[in-house]
Amino acid sequence: MARRKKNTPETAVNPLADNVHIQGAGSIKDEQVTDTLKENFMPYAMSVIISRAIPEIDGFKPSHRKLLYTMYNMGLLQGGTVKSANIVGRTMQLNPHGDASIYETMIRLSRGNESLLYPYVESKGNFGKAYSKNMMYAASRYTEAKLAPISKELFEDINKDTVDFVDNYDNTMKEPTLLPVTFPSILSNVTTGIAVGMASSIASFNLGELCETTIALIKNPDHEISETLLAPDFVGGGYVIYDKEEFEKIYSTGRGSVKVRAKYTYDKSYNCIDITEIPPTTTSEAIIDKIVELVKSNKVRELSDIRDETDLKGLRITLDLKRGTDPDKLMAKLYKMTPLEDAFSCNFNVLIKGTPKVLGVNSILKEWIDFRLECVRRRTQFTLNKKADRLHLLEGLEKILLDIDKAIKIIRGTESESDVVPNLMIGFGIDKLQAEFVAEIKLRHLNKEYILKRTKDIETLKKEIAELEGILASKNKLKKIIIKELTEVSAKYSGERKTQILYEVEQFDDNAVVEVPDYPVTLFITKEGYLNKIRTANLRMSGDQKVKEGDEVQRVFECSNRDEILAFTDKAQVYKAKVDDFADSKASLLGTYVATKLGMEPDEKTVYICVIHEYKGYMIFAFENGKIAKVDISAYQTKTNRKKLLKAYSDKVPLVACEYIEEDTELVLCSSSGRMLLLNTGALAAKTTKDTIGVSVMTQKKKHVLESMHFYQEGEFEKAWRFRTKNLPAAGALPSPADNTAQITF
């Protein structure tokens, strides 16, 4: 087996060496970056801009135009639907970019997909939904389509030289460069596209308003657009928020944004909200995912469930509300925090005679009027030429019909067939076209009736030609034709607005206090850190509280759903939450693991949980060295919704126990030496610093520490005075057998 030669200076210089057959391959060429961009990148960029992404004044990109023109040639304006695969295959004669891209183009133009305000394709089968990512369309072999009735307005008089035609990619067919649309389709449907270095995003408008505005502009170029064109109109409905300044900016510059809100209804019987119309820039899945995220982060607490109930009847997202929730206030909140209110960014970039231009609505409509005037002028000229040609032939026929016998004599006297036409031209003084027309007349037409009809046609044609010439000579007459067509289109296809206009909008106030339902609840807190919240009204019907194996209920609180919870951890931190943050549960369930719910660190454990109705009272912290810290509970109150406070207590010495007291009381301190001290918390001064180290209360012998602290129960000691002291710190006293017995039996 032959071994390949190594690259050498000789082979590198000679491009033909080492079996290299491409001229210049492997050689290095010095070239300016700017030259490379001009030669390679710029042609590509211009091709994307002109031939793919940016719509032209007829409202279509080339891919749309090729598909619709193919369907028109297939006769799909009439009759029934045909398989989409058939249409896609035929379209590839004009658009050789693969069947997938062609079918996706058809999907977007179809009525079933609900992407366009005025769809151009009638669909049969599953064409997916624009408002849902999960509702995908079926394959082209399963679906069927035809042109919608409004598509007739796209091809009106297309065969009368109204637009230019060019060769397709392989020069086997002709296709139109533009469609002679009879209405401003460029603004009747949403069109978006991303090119190289630029993009286009055109909003849709109601056809009735659009035609009325165009007519007004034809009559008066200084017409105020906003008087007749109220606001954009989208296929998905909803509400468009009226902003006069922003709309006038869009109308004049072509740039700006339109805020669109979802539409909802409240079902009182089921206490739920049904969302049936959403903005065109989002999907039902995106909305649901965002709401779920807000619920998990406790930013939205008014919902008990959310479901996507979209079916054949249309879009529907259902929100189940908690008892006492105001649906309007909740929706005002969701409008601000979710895509239920979204902005459609306008960038009215349109190709005008091959040049991309960002134009306002006013300028686009004036460009369309000029385009349509040219279409009507060319159509009129085409009709005039046809009638002029017909008149020319009939005028030659008229000369011959005045003396038919002479014509017959000339024809019969001509020996060669090829000389018939020249002899007729000489005999009657007519040109070749007229003579050819006369020579082809059948014998059955050489009668008086035929002659009179043709003579009458001459007079009619002369009147029609004069009328057409008058139209061509008068721009006002051309405008009247366009106005008439626009009026007819509006009457046939326009309807009520789908997107309603909101002139006054209720905005959600972030600083507003969220109304939390107030009802009595009972909290069960276990040793392992589980919290179960049960409505007190349902507690009688519940059985024993369920706990994990080895766990037990440590504390029970009877409180209000509006109260707050403070959870102190072994890392000297406190986490705050509302009782309402925890869902109502049952005794048969374990409840919620507090550490996970409050977002604690992985190795962080809860050491104490208390419920605060109002920030009055104190936190008592007992440390191993016998010091006690009395902290005013108001130190944990915050004006903001902070969920986590650092340095909740001192971490200089290990914490033994802590208790929340609403007012001063007596506590029992127990040392590892066996001594016990009865402390009245009124003897301690309250501090506002959370991590204070406290004051010495119970002195400890060497190698002994404070072990525990609990509330004093009346009768716990036989002689309570033995454990009390006037001066602090104190060592406490050893309990007698009677004291121990009293404590156990109490």
Side-chain angles (χ1 to χ4, degrees), residues 288-413:
I288 292 172
D289 290 345
K290 184 61 179 178
I291 294 176
V292 170
E293 177 187 332
L294 293 174
V295 171
K296 287 182 177 179
S297 61
N298 289 326
K299 293 181 180 178
V300 173
R301 300 192 298 272
E302 298 89 340
L303 297 180
S304 60
D305 192 17
I306 180 170
R307 298 183 303 280
D308 188 350
E309 296 186 348
T310 301
D311 54 19
L312 294 176
K313 296 179 181 178
L315 171 70
R316 186 166 73 175
I317 301 171
T318 300
L319 309 177
D320 289 339
L321 310 184
K322 290 182 179 178
R323 187 181 301 176
T325 300
D326 186 324
D328 294 330
K329 288 184 178 179
L330 172 62
M331 285 303 297
K333 182 178 181 180
L334 293 179
Y335 281 143
K336 184 167 185 178
M337 304 175 74
T338 72
L340 285 171
E341 178 178 310
D342 212 354
F344 183 95
S345 297
C346 296
N347 180 20
F348 290 6
N349 196 355
V350 184
L351 279 178
I352 304 296
K353 298 176 182 177
T355 303
K357 295 181 179 180
V358 179
L359 303 174
V361 173
N362 194 318
S363 300
I364 289 177
L365 288 178
K366 288 180 178 179
E367 289 286 349
W368 182 85
I369 291 169
D370 291 341
F371 161 73
R372 188 57 190 164
L373 280 171
E374 179 63 16
C375 289
V376 175
R377 188 199 64 77
R378 290 178 60 165
R379 180 185 70 190
T380 305
Q381 187 65 57
F382 177 85
T383 305
L384 175 61
N385 293 340
K386 288 291 184 181
K387 290 184 179 296
D389 291 343
R390 177 68 176 170
L391 177 62
H392 181 64
L393 296 177
L394 291 181
E395 285 176 340
L397 178 62
E398 183 182 34
K399 292 180 180 180
I400 292 178
L401 292 178
L402 294 175
D403 195 350
I404 296 176
D405 293 338
K406 180 181 177 181
I408 294 174
K409 184 177 180 181
I410 291 173
I411 294 172
R412 292 187 66 180

Side-chain angles (χ1 to χ4, degrees), residues 479-518:
K479 289 181 177 179
K480 287 181 179 179
I481 293 174
I482 297 175
I483 290 173
K484 181 183 178 183
E485 292 174 346
L486 287 170
T487 304
E488 292 174 352
V489 168
S490 179
K492 286 181 183 178
Y493 307 108
S494 70
E496 297 293 329
R497 288 185 60 91
K498 291 193 174 183
T499 306
Q500 298 179 16
I501 302 174
L502 281 182
Y503 292 95
E504 295 183 2
V505 179
E506 179 185 355
Q507 297 291 349
F508 172 68
D509 184 5
D510 288 328
N511 298 320
V513 178
V514 178
E515 188 70 24
V516 176
D518 185 14

Side-chain angles (χ1 to χ4, degrees), residues 53-83:
I54 308 298
E56 298 195 55
I57 196 63
D58 64 347
F60 298 104
K61 302 176 187 178
S63 59
H64 301 155
R65 195 178 299 112
K66 293 172 190 289
L67 172 69
L68 293 172
Y69 184 64
T70 298
M71 296 179 73
Y72 171 75
N73 282 338
M74 292 174 67
L76 294 180
L77 267 175
Q78 307 291 333
T81 57
V82 300
K83 285 290 185 182

Side-chain angles (χ1 to χ4, degrees), residues 57 183-188 205 209-218 223 225 228-229 251 352 359-372 486:
I57 196 63
F183 64 96
S185 55
I186 183 66
L187 294 174
S188 64
F205 294 86
E209 296 177 12
L210 199 57
C211 290
E212 182 183 356
T213 304
T214 308
I215 292 171
L217 274 178
I218 293 174
H223 170 69
I225 297 290
T228 49
L229 199 62
Y251 292 165
I352 304 296
L359 303 174
V361 173
N362 194 318
S363 300
I364 289 177
L365 288 178
K366 288 180 178 179
E367 289 286 349
W368 182 85
I369 291 169
D370 291 341
F371 161 73
R372 188 57 190 164
L486 287 170

Side-chain angles (χ1 to χ4, degrees), residues 445-497:
H445 291 156
L446 298 179
N447 56 72
K448 185 176 181 180
E449 182 183 5
Y450 180 82
I451 295 171
L452 292 175
K453 282 184 178 180
R454 298 293 80 77
T455 304
K456 187 177 180 181
D457 288 345
I458 291 173
E459 296 303 319
T460 303
L461 283 172
K462 285 181 178 180
K463 290 180 181 179
E464 291 175 349
I465 289 172
E467 185 179 341
L468 292 172
E469 288 175 342
I471 292 173
L472 290 173
S474 172
K475 194 172 184 178
N476 285 335
K477 290 184 177 180
L478 291 173
K479 289 181 177 179
K480 287 181 179 179
I481 293 174
I482 297 175
I483 290 173
K484 181 183 178 183
E485 292 174 346
L486 287 170
T487 304
E488 292 174 352
V489 168
S490 179
K492 286 181 183 178
Y493 307 108
S494 70
E496 297 293 329
R497 288 185 60 91

